Amino acid sequence: MKIKYLTTLFAVLMISAISGCNTMQGAGEDIEAGGEKIQDAAQ
């Protein structure tokens, strides 16, 4: 049950992130920014 919920949540978040980007370059920049925030939080 938890895995199904997390999978659905992840899919919704990814769709939201992708739909907010007009180009593949924009998508790459958004993913990079997200990765940097995760790195900062880990440090």
Side-chain angles (χ1 to χ4, degrees), residues 6-36:
L6 291 175
T7 303
T8 304
L9 178 62
F10 180 75
V12 169
L13 290 173
M14 290 304 296
I15 290 169
S16 297
I18 292 170
S19 67
C21 302
N22 292 327
T23 64
M24 289 304 291
Q25 181 180 1
E29 291 171 359
D30 290 345
I31 292 169
E32 182 180 6
E36 289 173 356

